[in-house]
Amino acid sequence: MWTSGRMSNAKSWLGLGMSLYFWGLMDLTTTVLSGTPTPPGKLEALLSDKPQSHSRTKRSWVWNQFFVLEEYTGTDPLYVGKLHSDMDRGDGSIKYILSGEGAGVVFTIDDTTGDIHAIQRLDREERAQYTLRAQALDRRTGRPMEPESEFIIKIQDINDNEPKFLDGPYVATVPEMSPVGTSVIQVTATDADDPTYGNSARVVYSILQGQPYFSVDSKTGVIRTALMNMDREAKEYYEVIIQAKDMGGQLGGLAGTTTVNITLLDVNDNPPRFPQKHYQMSVLESAPVSATVGRVFAKDLDEGINAEMKYTIVDGDGADAFDINTDPNFQVGIITVKKPLSFESKKSYTLKVEGANPHLEMRFLNLGPFQDTTTVHISVEDVDEPPIFEPGFYFVEVPEDVAIGTTIQIISAKDPDVTNNSIRYSIDRSSDPGRFFYVDITTGALMTARPLDREEFSWHNITVLAMEMNNPSQVGSVSVTIKVLDVNDNAPEFPRFYEAFVCENAKAGQLIQTVSAVDQDDPHSGQHFYYSLAPEAANNPNFTIRDNQDNTARILTRRSGFRQQEQSVFYLPILIADSGQPVLSSTGTLTIQVCTCDDHGHVLSCSPEAYMLPVSLSRGALIAILACIFVLLVTEHMNIVVPTVKLFVNTLHPLHL
């Protein structure tokens, strides 16, 4: 049975007693260092409070554990402890057996004495403990003298590992001008030694490089700012070296270092400043709107968004003539032309330009205004400019009956230059291919050269040119739009040839035709036509006309009883008059055929004269012929072919036959 002053697991230690001797940490240390093992003894004696031969304080004991220091470098096997059975009389009859983790490879046992030795170098960081089993056998019979029991060999730590920064090197940032004590980053070092034993793994942090700008908390590894008003513009990058030392920082402890690269982040603590308080620029008077005049730049020591600039014109006599925009890529102010310039009108301008930060740091406003101003002087340079027309566009209205050579407009241009050269006028012939107009070369009088006809061309768009006599390359132009006004120079007339028919059995007052007229003129008040019978037909006994007052008229019969044999065609002259000044009129003729009709007014046959000459066949005659053919087809279907043929023959005039 394994003996112990404080047996807590009696069930696993039944049988004959066998003693397992253990040494405390200090005893083991002394044993290893001296090379002399502590004499074995009863466990009860080792656990007692009696003083030992060494004057040191007793440690607490664990009854089923051995302790052995790691990293033993001696040439002899390292003594670990001793197994002993109470049945062992020292005559070698007991054989001790060791099994389990590392048995025979890492640990060996003297099977006679029970002494355990380590035969390999032990590293606690690789393995902290081994679980083994011990047994006592009768050497002669091999019979177990004790039940197999389990025990542990713990590897005692020594300080053989320096602290390491596993995440280093570190990169950190902190805003410039941060208050003292601002946290930057926390670094952490780990020590592979046993943190539960001694100070081998107790790490203390210190700063080797980076003072007086930064400090480190010795316990937590938190790096903080240590200097007021750290200015990025003065120094932006810092390399800080942090040391971690074990043994609580005591002499003899192991140390490791890491580098922390700290960058100061920019804040808007610098106002913009113009390096020049006065700029001198020039621009040609011919420069177009939006043309670039020059650039100004306000320097800002900050960067990024804190160096962004906004330029504005805050004063000066050129605020209405020039504009300024900010180039976001280079943060410069670009001055451009806002409206056309004239050297003759104003030769120079002065601008007061402001450059300001649009993004401000409120806590730095006490540094002063975050804007600056500069003065820009702009000179306008003279160029030889082409003549300028005043006004820049002409609109002329002229009646179409204007006489040839009439001046319809005076075109005026002048040389804008100081020299005020003489001007010569001409018409761009591509704009007046019909040559309806010409312009006086010296006076600019625009006149008609041909008769105008609104009904042919109601609009003319011509271009008048003005050229400097001393410099023919300088040519100006202006557009002249001419509207030709209508005069009443066209009489109304029928839009087509009118032809009608009247039935032999027509009654008086019967409508036989509605006529209308057209007029090429275009009076402002609109067209209004008046219809009447021509004077030579004013007392026509056969037909009359009624004006509908809507630019149309009705033709009515005045009697009944028309006969083809008496007269097959009537020609009715109609007088059409407009409402213009002067009144214009024309006479149109309505041709009226006398036809035979049924009781419903449907044409059966018309005057045979319609068939005499095909060349002069009228539209009414053709209609009558087609009507007869239609009747023929219908009557054929009704089995009355013969009367119909007779009727058709009777429609033919004897002269046609």
Side-chain angles (χ1 to χ4, degrees), residues 275-349:
Q276 296 177 233
K277 287 302 180 182
H278 297 278
Y279 287 84
Q280 186 67 46
M281 301 178 184
S282 61
V283 59
L284 295 175
E285 63 172 333
S286 59
V289 173
S290 300
T292 298
V293 179
R295 291 171 172 79
V296 296
F297 174 64
K299 186 177 182 181
D300 194 320
L301 296 178
D302 297 318
E303 64 180 7
I305 190 174
N306 298 316
E308 288 185 5
M309 203 68 57
K310 179 177 177 59
Y311 295 92
T312 54
I313 298 174
V314 296
D315 200 1
D317 60 1
D320 61 337
F322 300 94
D323 203 355
I324 189 167
N325 299 294
T326 303
D327 183 340
N329 296 319
F330 300 99
Q331 301 302 321
V332 298
I334 303 175
I335 299 175
T336 58
V337 177
K338 188 176 182 180
K339 70 176 185 179
L341 304 173
S342 173
F343 171 81
E344 292 72 28
S345 299
K346 190 171 178 61
K347 296 177 175 60
S348 65
Y349 295 87

Side-chain angles (χ1 to χ4, degrees), residues 463-542:
T463 300
V464 176
L465 306 176
M467 179 183 68
E468 291 184 13
M469 286 191 63
N470 295 338
N471 188 357
S473 64
Q474 296 299 322
V475 179
S477 63
V478 68
S479 295
V480 182
T481 298
I482 302 169
K483 180 179 181 181
V484 181
L485 301 178
D486 184 55
V487 296
N488 195 24
D489 58 348
N490 291 279
E493 59 186 6
F494 286 139
R496 59 185 177 84
F497 175 77
Y498 278 110
E499 189 173 26
F501 71 91
V502 61
C503 293
E504 288 183 316
N505 57 358
K507 306 297 183 182
Q510 183 173 324
L511 174 67
I512 63 170
Q513 181 70 46
T514 299
V515 296
S516 62
V518 294
D519 193 325
Q520 295 185 48
D521 295 321
D522 186 20
H524 290 294
S525 58
Q527 295 283 10
H528 187 74
F529 302 132
Y530 301 94
Y531 299 90
S532 63
L533 294 178
E536 64 271 22
N539 298 318
N540 189 298
N542 302 307

Side-chain angles (χ1 to χ4, degrees), residues 1-2 14-18 85-87 135-136 144-148:
M1 178 178 180
W2 298 87
L14 298 177
L16 297 177
M18 182 170 65
S85 173
D86 289 345
M87 300 180 66
Q135 194 172 24
M145 304 296 292
E146 300 280 356
E148 187 180 66

Side-chain angles (χ1 to χ4, degrees), residues 227-241:
L227 191 64
M228 290 183 59
N229 299 328
M230 296 176 66
D231 190 0
R232 183 198 67 84
E233 288 72 38
K235 183 176 175 63
E236 184 175 4
Y237 301 103
Y238 295 84
E239 185 178 79
V240 178
I241 298 178

Side-chain angles (χ1 to χ4, degrees), residues 112-129:
T112 300
T113 64
D115 292 333
I116 300 174
H117 290 83
I119 59 175
Q120 288 188 9
R121 184 179 64 84
L122 302 175
D123 188 350
R124 187 201 68 83
E125 286 71 44
E126 294 182 1
R127 186 162 188 154
Q129 66 180 31

